[in-house]
Amino acid sequence: NILRMEEEKPREYYPIPLGVTVLQETSDGYFLVGVKGNGSDQKGIATVGSGYIKRGQDEEVIGALARECLEETRYHGDFNVGNARAIAVISGSNNDVGIGIHLPIAQTSKQVGLNGDEHSKLILLPNGEALLKQVLARGSYKGIPASDQMLGVLESYLKQKG
């Protein structure tokens, strides 16, 4: 795992990494999901704009959210984190913890794309309760396994939506 480079050290040796799991929602009702690409140590699908808070650099949650979104997402128009709302704390299978954040963005699904190589393909996941419940029940979308962080933020989103 990229987070634990020293193979001889026990898992308890490493601090639990803290990250942001950002659920970006376009103005026309789609969530930005990406197929993990060659630039990632994980496989399957995950929310676009998620990653670790940089330790030792005094990076705060909102700074990590903005950095990760801008590194992974191409926006037509201005990007604004002013509507971000923390909705969950998610314990992941990589011995990590993610702060689940719902981020409505001003762009439509046609005004966004991918930056970098962390994701090989952008998937626009429609925000529909029945579909999201199906993704949660199957743990995947269109047969592609979803990361536990993605599933956690989707589950919390549905609970918050009520």
Side-chain angles (χ1 to χ4, degrees), residues 62-98:
I62 203 74
L65 175 149
R67 177 182 51 76
E68 288 289 342
C69 286
L70 291 168
E71 283 177 1
E72 298 178 17
T73 315
R74 181 180 38 79
Y75 303 94
H76 179 73
D78 292 334
F79 171 72
N80 186 329
V81 297
N83 291 325
R85 185 170 56 104
I87 59 173
V89 175
I90 307 156
S91 178
S93 60
N94 272 343
N95 196 32
D96 57 347
V97 174

Side-chain angles (χ1 to χ4, degrees), residues 3 19 22 35 82 86 113 122 124 135 139:
L3 300 175
V22 185
V35 177
L122 177 64
L124 298 168
V135 169

Side-chain angles (χ1 to χ4, degrees), residues 3 10 22 24 29 47 60 66 92 96 99-101 134 139 151 154-155:
L3 300 175
V22 185
Q24 296 187 72
T47 57
E60 296 182 9
D96 57 347
I99 299 170
I101 300 168
Q134 185 180 66
L151 295 172
L154 286 175
E155 180 179 35

